[in-house]
Amino acid sequence: MESVSTINWPLFYATDNLSDTLKKLKITAVDRTDDSLEGCLDCLLQALAQNNMETSEKIQGSGILQLFASLLVPQSSCTAKVANIIAEIAKNEFMRIPCVDAGLISPLVQLLNSKDQEVLLQTGRALGNICYDSHEGRSAVDQAGGAQIVIDHLRSLCSKTDPANEKLLTVFCGMLMNYSNENDSLQAQLINMGVIPTLVKLLGIHCQNAALTEMCLVAFGNLAELESSKEQFASTNIAEELVKLFKKQIDHDKREMVFEVLAPLAENDAIKLQLVEAGLVECLLEIVQQKVDSDKEEDIAELKTASDLMVLLLLGDESMQKLFEGGKGNVFQRVLSWIPSNNHQLQLAGALAIANFARNDGNCIHMVDNGIVEKLMDLLDRHVEDGNVTVQHAALSALRNLAIPVVNKAKMLSAGVTEAVLKFLKSEMPPVQFKLLGTLRMLIDAQAEAAEQLGKNVKLVERLVEWCEAKDHAGVMGESNRLLSALIRHSKSKDVIKTIVQSGGIKHLVTMATSEHVIMQNEALVALALIAALELGTAEKDLESAKLVQILHTLLADERSAPEIKYNSMVLICALMGSESLHKEVQDLAFLDVVSKLRSHENKSVAQQASLTEQRLAVES
């Protein structure tokens, strides 16, 4: 970010010798003879205009900076020129701390109370440049209370549209921007002072002034990153003003500036809805249409920004539902047309948009009934060999969400979704693996036939067992375990259990019973109980070497175990009694003590199961 822009003022005097001027200035500063003082100041300004850095170094070396503090007085006719000189020298990074050390901040902040527009302008520039990228400068302005005075000025001057006033407003906005840029605590301070509604009002009134508009946008971009700003923004008409401004921009760079403010603001659900209502989506669709066939770098970038923002707007429940319009909406139809497109960015945005529309049962059912599954499968088909990973991930996300409603599962299975998804079994990309597993798990939920068919697929089961060990990718590991368990729970098939035993999956289900997530513990225990009931002989050795009995003892003895975990652990203990070796392990571990304590458990089901288990253990001992 540039420091606040400077304005070159007309110069009246010149001197060949800067050193002479600095000496003369020392004397006149003490005498306070305004005429000769003004001449010296003009010479300095001219020297700064010719070679800012060299002149600034000489000013610093002369020790005259300290004198400037005494010259910054409201009554003097030279005050604006002194502030202008400080603004010019503070363009140099090496001069900002010396300006603070010379005690210039406090008198400059005092000058913000001046009624003279030129003094205000130069003072705003000086403070803005001293604050630019300078912790010391910002801290000194903060301590002197400069920000509040500037915000008060912005409020009181907001409605005046004459050029001189707009120039002053631009400088003040720039000063606040330099003061708070990339500093969370100072940005929070400005937000608490109510700067956001003031800046939004400024943008609305002065939208014809390019420099001021630009300043407002950069200020919004800074502030919008802060979470605490979103509520304040949501209570203004920022959405309306930004969309209005966006529609006016022809220039790519200007649109880019508006985009940079829209993206962080659109993370807030209330603002998402406001942007949709203000007509942003129509603007974005138009950009996509204009840029889709272009191979210019900036057009490709703008297409990506527009389609990404479109997807972001769909993350809000209300904004998404408003755009879905019962599946008949123009926006939904346009997004659908992106999926068969040849543009990867549009394919990606289209699939992500469908995944976002598929966030409630009604939308999912409508989309499946209207052929969206086939479109997504065609898209996946185009990305099987050396495909685009982000597109694969997005299309699988959409299919996973669509598979959640019960009525969609059979339709999607008969459309061949499992076959389409299994083509990605060889993928080495964890995000794709994760979504693939989630999609299969959703599809087989309460679908016995499909679960059995998949559970007997040796290639799939072997890959699941491999992924159950993907310690670097907790998500993939968790989903693999859950799918293994789901294949058993939904198929209740001996053949599936045999396939999982042969592929070495039992130990993973036993480990899953110790998961920190209750839902996963429970799924594991139910699957293990089915194994014990249907194929105990086949699984016996694996259950033994995985130390299942010891784990069950720990789960029952642990007071923190959830009631359903205790209940299912006892059901499993009873089922294991059919195995001689496992039965012996149960006896050796004194389960009776633990189980008898659970008869008085506050949960009735747990207490009843404890009585039954105790009887079984007593009979079998």
Side-chain angles (χ1 to χ4, degrees), residues 589-621:
L589 272 172
F591 266 84
L592 264 171
D593 300 349
V594 186
V595 172
S596 59
K597 282 181 193 162
L598 293 175
R599 280 188 317 177
S600 55
H601 196 278
E602 59 189 0
N603 182 294
K604 275 188 186 157
S605 301
V606 171
Q608 282 172 348
Q609 186 59 41
S611 294
L612 291 170
T613 308
E614 189 180 36
Q615 287 166 25
R616 182 80 192 269
L617 288 168
V619 169
E620 302 276 353
S621 62

Side-chain angles (χ1 to χ4, degrees), residues 350-392:
L352 286 173
I354 296 304
N356 285 340
F357 279 125
R359 284 211 315 278
N360 64 52
D361 284 8
N363 292 4
C364 289
I365 293 163
H366 177 90
M367 287 193 278
V368 168
D369 287 348
N370 284 274
I372 189 67
V373 170
E374 288 70 18
K375 285 187 170 68
L376 289 167
M377 281 169 33
D378 288 346
L379 177 60
L380 277 175
D381 243 10
R382 294 162 70 182
H383 288 276
V384 174
E385 299 302 326
D386 307 320
N388 182 305
V389 173
T390 51
V391 175
Q392 292 171 1

Side-chain angles (χ1 to χ4, degrees), residues 338-350:
W338 294 355
I339 293 174
S341 130
N342 289 319
N343 182 304
H344 280 188
Q345 175 56 36
L346 280 194
Q347 292 172 0
L348 170 64

Side-chain angles (χ1 to χ4, degrees), residues 253-294:
D253 292 339
K254 293 277 163 49
R255 275 211 296 249
E256 193 60 35
M257 280 192 85
V258 185
F259 269 138
E260 279 170 16
V261 181
L262 287 168
L265 285 180
E267 286 167 12
N268 175 281
D269 282 1
I271 299 174
K272 283 184 180 78
L273 187 60
Q274 290 168 8
L275 288 168
V276 167
E277 286 170 343
L280 177 62
V281 173
E282 288 71 16
C283 301
L284 298 176
L285 289 172
E286 204 174 310
I287 287 175
V288 167
Q289 204 167 352
Q290 288 166 3
K291 311 292 180 186
V292 66
D293 297 320
S294 171

